[in-house]
Amino acid sequence: MLKGKHIIVGVTGGIAAYKTATLVRLLVKAGAEVQVIMTPSAKEFVCPLTFSTLSGKPVISEFFTANTGQWNSHVDLGLWADVMVIAPATASTIAKMANGVADNMLVTTYLSAKAPVFIAPAMDLDMMRHPSTTRNLELLRSYGNMIIEPAEGELASHLIGKGRMEEPENIARVISDFFAPKDLAGQRIMITAGPTYERIDPVRFIGNYSSGKMGYAIAEEAARRGAEVTLISGPVSLSVTNRSINLIKVESASEMYRQCVDLWPSTDCAVMCAAVADYAPETVATSKIKRERDEVPVIHLRKNRDIAAALGQTKREGQILVGFALETDDEQINAIGKMERKNFDIIVLNSLRDKGAGFGTDTNKVTIFCADGQTRPLPLMSKSDVAKEIIDSITAFEHEA
Ligand code: PMT
């Protein structure tokens, strides 16, 4: 997405400036042309040579070059840029940008820029929550700038709170996502991911090996392409990187059922990637089942409701329902059977017989079957690439319908 893009990276005087070196490296690696502008105080934290080496361009900091008197045109720079990112943005620079105080090269260029602007604040937590900073950020938002919210964590002051500049990888991803085609804009997509846990007693459950990686990758891809995404996730150790994703955490199949059934009527498309437990203990022991008992406990199971089938039964015209099939034998027959029984428009088959496919891996090997008879067998690829293929199949199916 960033190949050939002109990016101005504005660096201001905060300790997080050292992380901006990584940001510049990532942007250049992704094919962007990067021009770094540093405020005078930024140079107290990182030397310009670091940025000029990483970007392959002299760093600009002053209105004119001292030894030649050559003017650095903020107007030309502002026009050259496809996008501008200020990282880190200190409280002082944020205040200047919000109020048009053009006393350095960076703010002057910002005021001249026609390109979209991302601002990644970094400061101590008290400065971050001060009403003046809050108001200035609100003002910048109202001018159409995009704020990349700082994360919570340990700050340079050793205090803990909100104010850490977002990690360079995430800033680079946000900028790259900005240029991604927004072919899912205006669509509401619900995705289920991960396993469900069915409680036996307060310390034990019936679960499965799903890590959530496949479902989370689909959620990230759909959000990147402009969809309004709700991710209903069983217990996993993943987090979402795209903050626009509405993450709903559940534990059991019945909790997942409730959330899905409630959301389905206001959803355009659902992708059922979760490995939902088919059975749950009939009763849940209120205290830990003890080993010392003479008899081995017998756990009676009851059938969980089939979430996907319930959505399939109530599917209205225009809604798209995508299912997964995790198989070990007779893969194709079983997958197509599931597509018909559950009223799926698309089913994604992955087989545990394929190395690198299914649970826990970063890769998957799938075949995508559509209700109109189309079949797309895909080679082993990363789960992010599989997610792209699944979203492409959904958009193709929509266009044909
Ligand atoms: O999470 P990862 O580690 O990345 O692994 C990914 C995955 C292997 C879990 C994923 O690719 C996958 O195959 N998910 C579906 C697993 C599964 O439960 O398949 P199934 O064949 O048992 O179920 C068929 C479909 O019905 C699935 O869409 C499932 O979400 C849905 N279902 C099943 C039972 C139930 N009670 N409710 C459901 O909605």
Side-chain angles (χ1 to χ4, degrees):
M1 294 302 156
L2 296 180
K3 205 165 175 20
K5 292 281 183 277
H6 294 170
I7 303 180
I8 292 180
V9 175
V11 189
T12 74
I15 183 62
Y18 81 93
K19 291 205 239 174
T20 309
T22 305
L23 173 64
V24 170
R25 195 179 67 85
L26 290 170
L27 297 175
V28 169
K29 222 172 142 196
E33 239 184 89
V34 175
Q35 175 62 63
V36 175
I37 304 180
M38 298 178 83
T39 61
S41 62
K43 292 192 281 185
E44 306 282 337
F45 288 89
V46 180
C47 103
L49 183 61
T50 305
F51 289 115
S52 61
T53 309
L54 290 169
S55 66
K57 280 181 192 295
V59 166
I60 297 174
S61 188
E62 309 297 338
F63 290 104
F64 61 90
T65 309
N67 54 349
T68 61
Q70 186 196 315
W71 181 49
N72 293 317
S73 167
H74 55 89
V75 180
D76 289 350
L77 273 172
L79 293 174
W80 172 85
D82 293 309
V83 66
M84 185 168 182
V85 54
I86 321 291
T90 56
S92 153
T93 293
I94 286 169
K96 288 179 186 177
M97 288 166 73
N99 296 287
V101 181
D103 69 348
N104 65 38
M105 187 63 191
L106 177 59
V107 180
T108 311
T109 306
Y110 160 73
L111 292 174
S112 304
K114 302 271 180 287
V117 178
F118 289 91
I119 299 163
M123 62 196 78
D124 212 52
L125 74 165
D126 296 313
M127 297 171 81
M128 188 67 211
R129 63 184 172 210
H130 193 279
S132 65
T133 309
T134 311
R135 194 199 55 218
N136 287 331
L137 284 171
E138 258 332 297
L139 272 174
L140 288 173
R141 256 191 216 99
S142 74
Y143 304 156
N145 301 296
M146 288 157 282
I147 313 297
I148 302 175
E149 290 291 334
E152 295 208 8
E154 191 177 349
L155 304 165
S157 60
H158 301 301
L159 293 173
I160 294 178
K162 187 172 172 179
R164 279 173 69 86
M165 187 179 88
E166 185 52 280
E167 293 306 318
E169 290 75 10
N170 287 340
I171 298 178
R173 186 191 48 73
V174 168
I175 299 169
S176 162
D177 286 357
F178 177 80
F179 290 107
K182 299 287 178 278
D183 52 347
L184 297 181
Q187 296 227 27
R188 282 160 299 184
I189 299 193
M190 167 170 87
I191 293 147
T192 66
T196 62
Y197 285 0
E198 312 300 327
R199 285 186 187 204
I200 298 171
D201 70 9
V203 296
R204 304 177 180 92
F205 59 85
I206 298 173
N208 60 64
Y209 295 114
S210 172
S211 63
K213 286 179 185 172
M214 189 65 253
Y216 275 59
I218 299 167
E220 295 286 352
E221 176 65 13
R224 203 173 72 85
R225 285 162 70 162
E228 207 180 290
V229 177
T230 299
L231 175 61
I232 301 172
S233 170
V236 296
S237 55
L238 301 176
S239 50
V240 287
T241 50
N242 190 317
R243 292 186 183 188
S244 73
I245 296 172
N246 173 27
L247 175 64
I248 300 176
K249 292 183 180 173
V250 296
E251 185 178 291
S252 63
S254 60
E255 287 173 35
M256 191 174 272
Y257 176 90
R258 186 54 32 234
Q259 293 291 344
C260 289
V261 166
D262 284 354
L263 264 172
W264 181 228
S266 58
T267 299
D268 299 301
C269 171
V271 184
M272 312 303 286
C273 187
V276 185
D278 287 318
Y279 301 97
E282 226 167 44
T283 53
V284 180
T286 47
S287 5
K288 185 178 173 188
I289 300 169
K290 296 283 184 215
R291 184 185 162 79
E292 293 76 33
R293 291 183 352 176
D294 285 343
E295 76 281 18
V296 175
V298 174
I299 299 166
H300 290 280
L301 300 178
R302 60 166 172 77
K303 231 177 176 176
N304 278 331
R305 282 177 293 194
D306 190 318
I307 308 168
L311 304 191
Q313 272 164 19
T314 54
K315 188 171 69 170
R316 56 177 159 70
E317 213 184 309
Q319 280 184 311
I320 294 184
L321 185 57
V322 181
F324 267 76
L326 179 63
E327 304 295 339
T328 52
D329 39 71
D330 294 332
E331 286 92 339
Q332 180 160 339
I333 295 170
N334 286 329
I336 291 175
K338 271 177 195 167
M339 174 156 69
E340 288 166 1
R341 276 198 310 282
K342 302 195 189 201
N343 196 16
F344 290 144
D345 299 291
I346 295 173
I347 192 155
V348 182
L349 163 68
N350 41 193
S351 170
L352 286 182
R353 284 204 286 190
D354 287 322
K355 207 166 172 278
F359 288 136
T361 50
D362 290 327
T363 53
N364 208 354
K365 183 171 186 300
V366 304
T367 303
I368 302 175
F369 297 94
C370 294
D372 61 10
Q374 289 193 44
T375 303
R376 289 180 64 210
L378 295 168
L380 184 74
M381 51 177 80
S382 71
K383 281 186 174 161
S384 323
D385 285 340
V386 172
K388 282 193 191 90
E389 299 288 347
I390 293 170
I391 298 289
D392 284 349
S393 294
I394 294 171
T395 52
F397 189 86
E398 273 173 342
H399 288 126
E400 281 162 25

